[in-house]
Amino acid sequence: MTTAIDRGAPGSGKTDSGRRGSHAMRWWVLGVLGMAQLMVTLDATVVNIALPAAQHDLGFSDGNRQWVITGYALAFGSLLLLGGRLGDLFGRRTTFVTGLSGFAGASVVGGAAGSFEILVAARVAQGLFAALLAPAALSLLSVTFTQRSERVKAFGIFSALAGAGGAVGLLLGGMLTEWASWRWVMYVNVVFAAVALVGALLLLAKPAVAERPKLDIPGTITVSAALFAIVYGFAHVESTSWTDPVVLASMVAGVVLLAVFVWLESWVAHPLLPLRLVLDRTRGGSFLAVFVIGMGMFSIFLFLTYYLEASLGYSPIKTGLAFLPMVGGIVLASTTGPVLLLPRVGPKVVISASFLVAATGMAFLTQLELDSTYAAHIMPGLILLGLGLGGVMTTAFQGATAGVHHEDSGVASALINTGQQVGGSISTALLTTVASSAATDYLSSHKPGALTAAQAGVESYTATLAWGAGFFVVGAVLAAFLIPNTALAPSEGEPVIAH
């Protein structure tokens, strides 16, 4: 079978001097895409650190505080598939630039917000434009790097930024909140967006749309409503309970609408999500791996942050610094592991083994106590987590886009982001319940007092970390059964570099 690379497709780096020039420029394109990916990823955690300061400044209640996070999650999670398909239909450069510009504008509005309502509206707008930006960045990466050796390196760097962004957000959020103002956690996005926007305008070719795009309107409405209902239902659990009528109604509606969406996509002429993308074992297994990563990573960042700050008394900046060994592990595994291991042992082994390494790191952290030390009890687990997460992410990102036609790369990339977002929403709701239950059980079986209350907090955090370890073990089993151990096919290339 002849691939895009065999044909000397744009982005293959073959034959003439023009192609060799494109070869060099592709790495500059990677820098632009990586900058945008880092901005979107760190925004998921950088705002969390600043929330207490924003709440004090704007005077909103604890009950309303969650909407600063939930508003973004609802817009981002429910519109990702639409955003990815718009990139396929109208050009990835167009959606990438639109997403960057809109995200920066919404960040300025959020930073200048004088009321709770404006802040939430800005966060919703950020989520909307992120739903355009994130899949466009990953799909641009997929169609730009089609040579197998380059593809592994490029996806490794991109995955390192995606995995490290959450930890970097914790550090950056702490620094900006403590040294400047909570408003700067919003304004800082303008810096990232400006650099990426200049690079995009200079480096990316303008799209040439040969025919009028066709959009699956029924499928778009159905899946957007389904994802909105699911994300809203799990977000609502945190402030109510699993038996709350709104929660139950949202989740049931979401599942039913997803079933309707699958039915629609099986017969419409131009489906929003062609089912062939997920029915392939390599891509389907990789999408599931990304979903599991989304579930596990939230337990790391959220509840380990609680432990470091509430139990050990770390400042926000010190907490961010504490995660740097994990960042180092992610970068090391993402940039070297797939290059060394993937060609030799195959994707099934890399993903399964990496999940088990991450599970070991998480299990190590379940032994934390009130008197645990960083060097002996925290850092080793974080390093193992970083190595495991980096190995899974870079391989799963490649697997999820393996062999994808360039016309479908946007929606395939959107599905990756959707898996992470929905996985995170589910785990946040589930693990919040686990933490609450563990703390309640400990308090009910021990003598009341300050020490008991402090230990109950530790018990709640370690319980969630144990569940996170379980998620990763399940991920290893799923990968072992679903993903074939064959070389990952490249995506079809497309001219994306300006000349």
Side-chain angles (χ1 to χ4, degrees):
M1 179 177 178
T2 303
T3 65
I5 293 176
D6 296 328
R7 294 193 303 267
S12 65
K14 286 195 171 191
T15 65
D16 55 31
S17 59
R19 290 276 162 76
R20 287 193 292 272
S22 294
H23 170 85
M25 294 301 291
R26 284 200 295 277
W27 297 101
W28 286 102
V29 172
L30 174 61
V32 171
L33 303 179
M35 179 71 71
Q37 176 65 26
L38 181 62
M39 179 184 71
V40 172
T41 305
L42 68 82
D43 194 70
T45 54
V46 70
V47 173
N48 293 6
I49 297 293
L51 260 183
Q55 182 180 4
H56 180 267
D57 188 16
L58 299 181
F60 51 88
S61 66
D62 289 343
N64 286 332
R65 183 170 60 185
Q66 68 160 327
W67 288 105
V68 179
I69 304 299
T70 303
Y72 176 90
L74 287 172
F76 186 45
S78 61
L79 297 175
L80 268 167
L81 285 177
L82 173 60
R85 181 50 88 191
L86 289 177
D88 291 332
L89 297 180
F90 296 104
R92 279 165 278 280
R93 180 186 188 270
T94 300
T95 54
F96 184 77
V97 169
T98 301
L100 273 176
S101 304
F103 197 94
S107 298
V108 171
V109 173
S115 67
F116 168 73
E117 290 77 14
I118 293 177
L119 179 59
V120 171
R123 289 288 288 164
V124 170
Q126 279 185 319
L128 186 155
F129 286 108
L132 291 175
L133 177 60
L138 185 53
S139 62
L140 280 166
L141 181 76
S142 181
V143 299
T144 302
F145 292 91
T146 56
Q147 276 193 340
R148 185 168 282 113
S149 60
E150 290 185 350
R151 186 176 175 85
V152 170
K153 295 176 184 177
F155 270 83
I157 295 170
F158 191 85
S159 301
L161 292 172
V168 173
L170 292 172
L171 176 59
L172 185 61
M175 294 170 63
L176 292 173
T177 302
E178 191 166 324
W179 295 344
S181 163
W182 69 267
R183 297 181 183 277
W184 276 98
V185 305
M186 304 290 283
Y187 290 143
V188 73
N189 291 323
V190 179
V191 178
F192 288 99
V195 174
L197 183 59
V198 171
L201 294 176
L202 292 176
L203 296 174
L204 299 179
K206 294 182 179 180
V209 180
E211 58 185 49
R212 184 179 180 181
K214 298 179 177 64
L215 185 63
D216 172 19
I217 300 297
T220 299
I221 295 173
T222 303
V223 76
S224 297
L227 293 173
F228 182 93
I230 291 171
V231 173
Y232 180 81
F234 281 106
H236 201 60
V237 168
E238 297 178 56
S239 57
T240 55
S241 71
W242 289 95
T243 58
D244 180 78
V246 174
V247 170
L248 293 175
S250 296
M251 292 183 180
V252 170
V255 171
V256 171
L257 287 170
L258 274 183
V260 173
F261 173 69
V262 171
W263 176 76
L264 285 172
E265 300 308 276
S266 66
W267 65 268
V268 295
H270 302 282
L272 177 70
L273 175 62
L275 296 183
R276 63 181 179 273
L277 288 179
V278 294
L279 294 178
D280 176 85
R281 286 179 59 195
T282 296
R283 291 194 292 265
S286 297
F287 287 131
L288 278 176
V290 171
F291 175 80
V292 174
I293 283 290
M295 294 189 71
M297 286 186 69
F298 272 73
S299 61
I300 302 166
F301 290 129
L302 183 61
F303 294 99
L304 192 55
T305 296
Y306 287 162
Y307 169 77
L308 293 172
E309 294 188 355
S311 299
L312 299 188
Y314 281 25
S315 67
I317 293 178
K318 190 175 180 180
T319 297
L321 290 171
F323 280 97
L324 289 184
M326 188 179 80
V327 173
I330 290 174
V331 172
L332 179 63
S334 296
T335 55
T336 62
V339 176
L340 298 175
L341 297 177
L342 191 57
R344 292 173 172 83
V345 300
K348 177 200 294 282
V349 175
V350 172
I351 292 179
S352 297
S354 296
F355 264 130
L356 293 177
V357 171
T360 302
M362 194 80 90
F364 191 91
L365 292 173
T366 62
Q367 308 304 310
L368 294 175
E369 300 288 349
L370 281 171
D371 58 353
S372 293
T373 61
Y374 180 77
H377 304 107
I378 301 173
M379 186 169 66
L382 287 175
I383 293 174
L384 288 173
L385 277 167
L387 292 172
L389 293 174
V392 173
M393 291 181 67
T394 187
T395 309
F397 279 19
Q398 289 183 71
T401 55
V404 173
H405 191 277
H406 71 80
E407 292 180 357
D408 294 329
S409 65
V411 73
S413 302
L415 200 56
I416 294 173
N417 288 279
T418 302
Q420 286 182 303
Q421 186 66 35
V422 174
S425 298
I426 291 173
S427 69
T428 300
L430 177 62
L431 296 177
T432 298
T433 303
V434 169
S436 177
S437 178
T440 300
D441 290 345
Y442 187 87
L443 289 172
S444 64
S445 60
H446 292 76
K447 185 177 179 179
L451 183 61
T452 298
Q455 185 60 41
V458 174
E459 293 292 327
S460 70
Y461 309 144
T462 56
T464 63
L465 295 171
W467 276 70
F471 293 154
F472 290 151
V473 171
V474 171
V477 173
L478 289 174
F481 276 99
L482 290 176
I483 300 177
N485 210 33
T486 55
L488 298 176
S491 299
E492 183 186 45
E494 184 186 46
V496 296
I497 301 171
H499 295 283

